[in-house]
Amino acid sequence: MDFDFNEEQKMIQETIRKFAKEEIAPVASENDKKAQFPHDLFKKLAGLGFMGTPIPEEYGGAGFDYISHSIVAEEIGRVDSSLRGTYSVQVSLVELPIFKFGNEEQKKKYLPTLTSGEWIGCYGLTEPNSGSDPASMISTATEDGNYYVLNGQKTWITNAGIADVAIVYAKTDKEAGARGITGFLVEREWEGFSTKDLHDKLGLRASNTGEIFLENCRVPKENILGEVNKGFKVALGTLDFGRYTVAAGSVGLAQGCIDICKEYAKQRIQFGKPIASFQLVQQMIADMVVECEAGRLLVYRAGDMKNKGLPNIRETSIAKYYCSEMANRVAYKAIQIHGGYGFSGEYDVERFYRDARINTLYEGTSQIQQLIIGAIELGIKAFV
């Protein structure tokens, strides 16, 4: 692996970092406080090609490699995890599965509208009683001529309330467990599809989160994603895309904490001198930097393997597990360095601390990642 960025990657980093600093950062705190989704920023990011990063140009994407994709996730996450979450879902949980598992007609129909930002997508897997165990879902899809009739409920779905299209999973064979799940592309305007927003979240407050309700929703058979009863494979493959992006975004959050703490430590005066001169503050910042750098390298390793087309479930799970936990440790130290001010909304570390918590939960909890990594190491078939 070459640790140096090529010229394209350098340009991508410079562009998204400038945009994040000048456009996203100034309004991130206000959007968080008001719990409002920044539609204008989403459109601007799409206009720059950042809502279709790894999708080939023939389908409206930017054709970026996976390292470049992680750079974008990191730089957005460096200032606003809510918007980074939207980016993750749009690209990793909606566009990439359509590209990897969809047929040519589906790619041509949906990918250009998604990569351009004209449409927003969401990913409907989790249910009220089915989280880490997706095979236990109870949503059903019953064959009816040229359609499948979907019934069920999905919850904790990022973008649910603003999405134009959803990838939804349901049981086409209720007795077959994981082998009876099928994925469907469902459009918001279709009868029987509705959503309800969820509020009062600990973090990611500027990211839309909601529930999806399917009540005799008729989906044409041409909107099956992949094959009938093979949706579990599609779902797990999709989560692997998402885990990589979450890992990169976690690195960005950690780097954002470091940036803020370095500046604060130089300005905050205690005992007659900047707290940056105190060795215990230096120790905390040193630990934060080392952990962040280690996480970044794990992301780059997984991205390099993705670029080469090598199996990378193990490496992606390692990156997601370490980086999500690392972001929480770094955010904790960031609050500690700020003292009482870190406990208020006056400084962004308070928002970063709240936003960090979700990273160990979605796209597979830390415990699920441990099970995946352990099973691979021991040569045991994992159930997730």
Side-chain angles (χ1 to χ4, degrees), residues 189-228:
E189 298 304 317
W190 290 348
E191 186 176 353
F193 181 97
S194 62
T195 63
K196 177 184 177 182
D197 288 349
L198 295 172
H199 301 286
D200 298 324
K201 297 176 295 180
L202 174 67
L204 301 191
R205 292 178 179 173
S207 173
N208 178 272
T209 306
E211 297 177 289
I212 294 175
F213 300 94
L214 302 160
E215 300 174 291
N216 294 322
C217 183
R218 295 174 64 81
V219 180
K221 287 184 175 179
E222 58 261 32
N223 273 52
I224 292 171
L225 184 62
E227 300 177 51
V228 174

Side-chain angles (χ1 to χ4, degrees), residues 28-338:
S29 180
E30 180 183 1
N31 287 333
D32 174 79
K33 287 181 172 65
K34 294 181 178 179
Q36 62 185 10
F37 176 73
H39 287 275
D40 57 333
L41 291 177
F42 178 87
K43 291 287 188 180
K44 288 180 180 179
L45 281 167
L48 291 170
F50 292 134
M51 281 299 166
T53 42
I55 304 301
E57 293 179 9
E58 64 181 296
Y59 300 114
F64 291 173
D65 70 299
Y66 282 97
I67 299 293
S68 298
H69 171 59
S70 75
I71 290 170
V72 175
E74 177 180 340
E75 294 299 329
I76 297 175
R78 193 170 178 173
V79 297
D80 186 4
S81 289
S82 287
L83 191 54
R84 193 276 306 158
T86 299
Y87 167 79
S88 294
V89 171
Q90 182 80 354
V91 177
S92 299
L93 299 188
V94 181
E95 294 172 5
L96 276 173
I98 292 174
F99 174 65
K100 295 290 185 179
F101 301 106
N103 57 44
E104 195 63 24
E105 289 73 22
Q106 291 168 344
K107 294 177 188 179
K108 288 179 178 178
K109 178 180 180 180
Y110 290 107
L111 287 179
T113 59
L114 289 164
T115 57
S116 67
E118 180 183 347
W119 274 23
I120 296 175
C122 68
Y123 177 78
L125 180 65
T126 300
E127 297 185 358
N129 294 305
S130 170
S132 293
D133 179 19
S136 66
M137 70 173 62
I138 60 174
S139 293
T140 60
T142 305
E143 189 174 9
D144 182 17
N146 292 323
Y147 294 83
Y148 273 90
V149 181
L150 274 58
N151 283 282
Q153 179 183 353
K154 304 294 179 177
T155 193
W156 299 119
I157 309 303
T158 302
N159 297 349
I162 57 176
D164 301 281
V165 63
I167 295 178
V168 173
Y169 295 88
K171 289 279 184 72
T172 37
D173 186 342
K174 291 185 286 187
E175 308 302 322
R179 293 184 175 86
I181 294 173
T182 303
F184 298 89
L185 288 160
V186 186
E187 297 183 20
R188 170 175 290 279
E189 298 304 317
W190 290 348
E191 186 176 353
F193 181 97
S194 62
T195 63
K196 177 184 177 182
D197 288 349
L198 295 172
H199 301 286
D200 298 324
K201 297 176 295 180
L202 174 67
L204 301 191
R205 292 178 179 173
S207 173
N208 178 272
T209 306
E211 297 177 289
I212 294 175
F213 300 94
L214 302 160
E215 300 174 291
N216 294 322
C217 183
R218 295 174 64 81
V219 180
K221 287 184 175 179
E222 58 261 32
N223 273 52
I224 292 171
L225 184 62
E227 300 177 51
V228 174
N229 295 331
K230 298 293 179 64
F232 194 66
K233 177 182 178 181
V234 176
L236 293 186
T238 299
L239 288 175
D240 190 66
F241 300 144
R243 287 164 185 163
Y244 177 69
T245 316
V246 169
S250 296
V251 171
L253 186 150
Q255 186 62 59
C257 287
I258 293 168
D259 295 341
I260 296 168
C261 286
K262 286 162 61 177
E263 188 67 26
Y264 180 80
K266 294 174 184 177
Q267 296 176 355
R268 175 65 168 168
I269 305 297
Q270 288 291 279
F271 303 101
K273 53 186 175 181
I275 64 171
S277 64
F278 300 148
Q279 289 182 336
L280 289 179
V281 172
Q282 295 170 13
Q283 181 185 38
M284 283 192 284
I285 289 179
D287 288 345
M288 293 160 72
V289 169
V290 170
E291 289 216 79
C292 183
E293 289 289 342
R296 184 177 286 116
L297 292 177
L298 287 174
V299 171
Y300 289 169
R301 179 179 68 163
D304 184 59
M305 295 181 74
K306 288 179 183 294
N307 285 340
K308 293 174 179 175
L310 299 173
N312 59 85
I313 292 174
R314 172 181 176 272
E315 288 71 22
T316 299
S317 283
I318 289 173
K320 200 277 183 181
Y321 173 45
Y322 179 82
C323 293
S324 61
E325 294 284 348
M326 174 274 293
N328 278 273
R329 293 191 294 268
V330 169
Y332 179 93
K333 287 186 172 71
I335 297 289
Q336 203 69 14
I337 289 170
H338 280 72

